[in-house]
Amino acid sequence: MQQNKNAIALLLTVMFVIVISVALGYGLKSVKKSAKVIESEKFLYQNSLIVEDVLRILKESPDFKVLRDDNATTELYMFLSSSSYIPLEMGNMQILISFVSARAKFNPNQLYNNSKEIDAFKHYVQEYMVDNFYVDILLDNMKIITQENRYDGYNSAIFDKNPELFREYVASSEHLKKINNYYKVEYNNENINKIDFKNLFYYSKDRNTSIDLNYATPEVWKLLLGVDTLRAEALSSGSGSYSEIGDLGLSDEEKESLKNFKTSFYEPYLYVNIEVMSEVGNSQISFEYDIKKQKGYGFVFKI
């Protein structure tokens, strides 16, 4: 009898040890998770502070006061040439800040209700063996929905096939990728992959933006003037040296083509990109900065 009691007591002790071990295991796992959460929250907070510091420097730096002048073309070019990449270190974090003109590319949302730009863009895509159906699909994604046109007015079935797709403007490169994928499948045309959209488009719901000709990419010049790659690269290589149409050395035909688009020789907008690398993780923060208004907007965080 006594042996049975001892055996039961031993069994209970073993069971108790097992339960405690399992509980401690889950407890330690929760502690590790909590520590990771705390580190992640700390990392997010540090990212927010970095953005605030960059905005404060952009606002208070004496160098930027010069850039607020109406015609600071040379000063902006000198700044972007000397400060395109700024590497920094803060504790265990490595930070890389880069600045480029935010008006070097074409905003596709300007195409909406602009027949001259639409015609020029149709000519541009045709050079890549992409038909006008693609332009119609792109314009469908810019259509502003009202009660009157709620159920009609589209030139394609893109929203029937993709009802969750965002409407009213092309919002991002990811959005454009979905549009392009629909076109490829629907019209069995892979030529859309040949277009360098990365160096052609930037995305803003503002339909009234201008291209800064001092920073226009070769791909943008091809769109603006309908020229070949060699001519486009030559015009792009003159970055920072243009202050008037005469500086571009355009033919009469090229001048007429340029009139179809909104352009200027000084657009005081920066595209700021901040990359943060640490033991906790990596992040990328980008936004536009209005030099004259001293304001950042369109913030995108990728962690």
Side-chain angles (χ1 to χ4, degrees):
M1 188 71 176
Q2 185 63 34
Q3 287 180 345
N4 289 338
K5 287 182 179 180
N6 290 339
I8 292 170
L10 179 61
L11 180 61
L12 289 173
T13 301
V14 171
M15 292 294 294
F16 182 72
V17 170
I18 292 172
V19 169
I20 291 295
S21 299
V22 171
L24 285 173
Y26 276 111
L28 289 172
K29 191 175 181 181
S30 297
V31 168
K32 288 181 180 178
K33 282 185 177 180
S34 298
K36 287 182 178 179
V37 169
I38 291 170
E39 285 296 320
S40 296
E41 289 179 351
K42 181 182 177 182
F43 184 59
L44 286 172
Y45 178 66
Q46 288 172 329
N47 275 263
S48 298
L49 290 179
I50 290 167
V51 173
E52 288 180 12
D53 285 343
V54 171
L55 286 170
R56 179 176 51 79
I57 291 168
L58 290 173
K59 187 175 181 179
E60 297 177 0
S61 171
D63 295 334
F64 276 84
K65 291 180 181 179
V66 178
L67 299 182
R68 290 171 206 148
D69 292 343
D70 290 334
N71 193 25
T73 304
T74 303
E75 289 80 3
L76 180 60
Y77 178 75
M78 290 176 65
F79 168 76
L80 291 176
S81 298
S82 60
S83 308
S84 55
Y85 289 97
I86 302 175
L88 301 170
E89 284 193 20
M90 285 178 54
N92 63 342
M93 293 190 300
Q94 293 181 318
I95 304 166
L96 181 63
I97 305 172
S98 62
F99 301 95
V100 294
S101 169
R103 296 294 182 270
K105 303 174 189 177
F106 177 70
N107 176 14
N109 298 298
Q110 289 180 215
L111 291 171
Y112 191 71
N113 281 343
N114 191 323
S115 59
K116 290 183 178 180
E117 288 190 1
I118 290 172
D119 289 342
F121 187 67
K122 285 180 178 179
H123 174 76
Y124 171 83
V125 299
Q126 285 168 4
E127 291 295 311
Y128 290 91
M129 304 300 290
V130 173
D131 51 54
N132 291 342
F133 292 120
Y134 175 70
V135 183
D136 291 337
I137 294 167
L138 202 61
L139 291 171
D140 278 349
N141 283 267
M142 303 172 197
K143 189 175 181 64
I144 298 173
I145 304 301
T146 65
Q147 194 61 38
E148 289 75 18
N149 66 16
R150 187 176 179 85
Y151 300 107
D152 58 21
Y154 289 117
N155 294 306
S156 69
I158 187 169
F159 296 117
D160 294 333
K161 300 288 181 67
N162 302 273
E164 79 293 343
L165 196 63
F166 180 75
R167 311 184 189 197
E168 298 196 1
Y169 62 93
V170 181
S172 64
S173 57
E174 289 80 8
H175 186 185
L176 182 71
K177 185 176 181 180
K178 292 180 180 178
I179 296 169
N180 292 353
N181 286 339
Y182 168 80
Y183 170 77
K184 283 191 291 186
V185 173
E186 194 74 8
Y187 294 94
N188 193 29
N189 190 339
E190 296 283 335
N191 289 325
I192 194 71
N193 294 332
K194 297 178 182 178
I195 299 177
D196 184 7
F197 286 107
K198 183 178 179 181
N199 287 304
L200 177 66
F201 284 168
Y202 92 98
Y203 307 92
S204 171
K205 64 180 178 180
D206 183 359
R207 302 175 191 263
N208 195 35
T209 54
S210 295
I211 299 168
D212 190 332
L213 296 179
N214 274 297
Y215 303 98
T217 64
E219 209 62 37
V220 170
W221 279 114
K222 288 167 71 174
L223 169 63
L224 294 177
L225 305 182
V227 295
D228 60 23
T229 300
L230 193 63
R231 174 66 171 145
E233 289 176 347
L235 286 163
S236 181
S237 67
S239 296
S241 64
Y242 305 134
S243 57
E244 58 182 32
I245 292 293
D247 296 335
L248 297 168
L250 303 181
S251 67
D252 290 340
E253 185 180 353
E254 289 172 342
K255 288 177 183 177
E256 287 301 311
S257 297
L258 191 63
K259 289 179 182 178
N260 294 327
F261 295 87
K262 284 196 67 176
T263 62
S264 80
F265 295 98
Y266 177 65
E267 289 293 308
Y269 303 94
L270 296 175
Y271 180 79
V272 185
N273 189 68
I274 305 171
E275 292 183 52
V276 182
M277 294 149 282
S278 74
E279 295 175 355
V280 177
N282 300 332
S283 66
Q284 185 174 345
I285 309 146
S286 59
F287 61 93
E288 282 194 32
Y289 183 75
D290 187 324
I291 294 173
K292 288 194 173 183
K293 292 183 179 179
Q294 300 173 268
K295 182 180 179 181
Y297 54 92
F299 291 85
V300 176
F301 285 75
K302 295 181 181 180
I303 297 179

